[in-house]
Each structure stands twice: as C-alpha cells, then as structure tokens.
Amino acid sequence: MLPVPLNIGIMLIGYLLVMGYLALGLRTLRRQAGRPAPAAGRRGWPALISRVAGTAAGGYVLLMAVVVGYYHGVVRLGGRFLASAFTGTATLVGITIPVFLAVSWLVERRRRGRNSGAAEHGD
C-alpha cells in the first residue's frame, strides 16, 4: 500500500490536470463564441459517426495511458490485470458506441417529428 501523502498527491495532481483541461476547453469555447461559424463541412450521420469514433478512440487511448501509467508505474501491478483493463474497456466502448448512436438517431427522429408538426400548424 502506498503512503497516504503519496496517494493524496497523486489524487491532487490528477484533479488539477482535469480541472486545467476543462478550463482550457471553456476558454477555447469562449474565444470561438464571437467568431462566425466556419463553412459547413461534413454534416449529418457521417460527421456524427466520425466525431464519435474519434472521441471514443482518443478517450480509450488516454484511459489506457492513465491505467498503464498508474498500475504499472506506481503500483507495480501488471500482467493479467492490465490485459483485463484493456479488454474490459474495449468491451465497454464497443457496447456504448452503438447505444449512443441509437439514442442519437431516436432523438433526431423525435426532433424532426416535432418540427414537421409545428410547420404543418404554421408555428
């Protein structure tokens, strides 16, 4: 078991990194809010699938880097545990992406249904 000060230090560094990343994202969004939207590129389902796949792949790589860095570098635990972490996370990603796309499709279908109903009534 790691000493308590080391555990607290690791958690504090992780917290500060996450909060710093979120602050950087908010700052970027505020800078872009005043600018006009760029010309439309890919839109619709191909763009959504591309963004979701890119986000899932990037998130998976980042999560695995953190898991390997912590469990192999700090705790000195590897082997079967790391193999399980890789396969378990890949299974989770494989389950959630189709569910996310199905829910996105349902939300879009529902939104279009409401908009077409409002257009028929002159709203």
Side-chain angles (χ1 to χ4, degrees), residues 17-60:
L17 287 172
V18 168
M19 290 300 122
Y21 180 74
L22 291 174
L24 182 65
L26 286 173
R27 187 174 181 183
T28 302
L29 285 174
R30 284 189 180 171
R31 283 186 179 177
Q32 292 176 352
R35 297 180 187 162
R42 283 180 24 179
R43 300 185 81 142
W45 286 105
L48 176 66
I49 291 171
S50 174
R51 283 190 176 189
V52 168
T55 301
Y60 179 79

Side-chain angles (χ1 to χ4, degrees), residues 1 28-29 38-39 42 52-53 67 70 95-96 102 120:
M1 180 176 242
T28 302
L29 285 174
R42 283 180 24 179
V52 168
V67 166
Y70 181 75
I95 291 170
T96 57
E120 289 174 3

Side-chain angles (χ1 to χ4, degrees), residues 52-62 93 97:
V52 168
T55 301
Y60 179 79
V61 169
L62 180 62
V93 169
I97 288 178

Side-chain angles (χ1 to χ4, degrees), residues 32-121:
Q32 292 176 352
R35 297 180 187 162
R42 283 180 24 179
R43 300 185 81 142
W45 286 105
L48 176 66
I49 291 171
S50 174
R51 283 190 176 189
V52 168
T55 301
Y60 179 79
V61 169
L62 180 62
L63 178 62
M64 289 302 100
V66 169
V67 166
V68 169
Y70 181 75
Y71 283 104
H72 185 67
V74 176
V75 181
R76 306 272 186 228
L77 183 66
R80 296 167 91 189
F81 177 80
L82 287 178
S84 177
F86 275 90
T87 57
T89 305
T91 302
L92 180 64
V93 169
I95 291 170
T96 57
I97 288 178
V99 171
F100 176 77
L101 291 174
V103 170
S104 297
W105 176 76
L106 288 172
V107 168
E108 184 66 21
R109 183 175 174 201
R110 189 172 185 184
R111 186 183 65 84
R112 285 186 182 177
R114 285 184 183 166
N115 286 344
S116 67
E120 289 174 3
H121 297 306

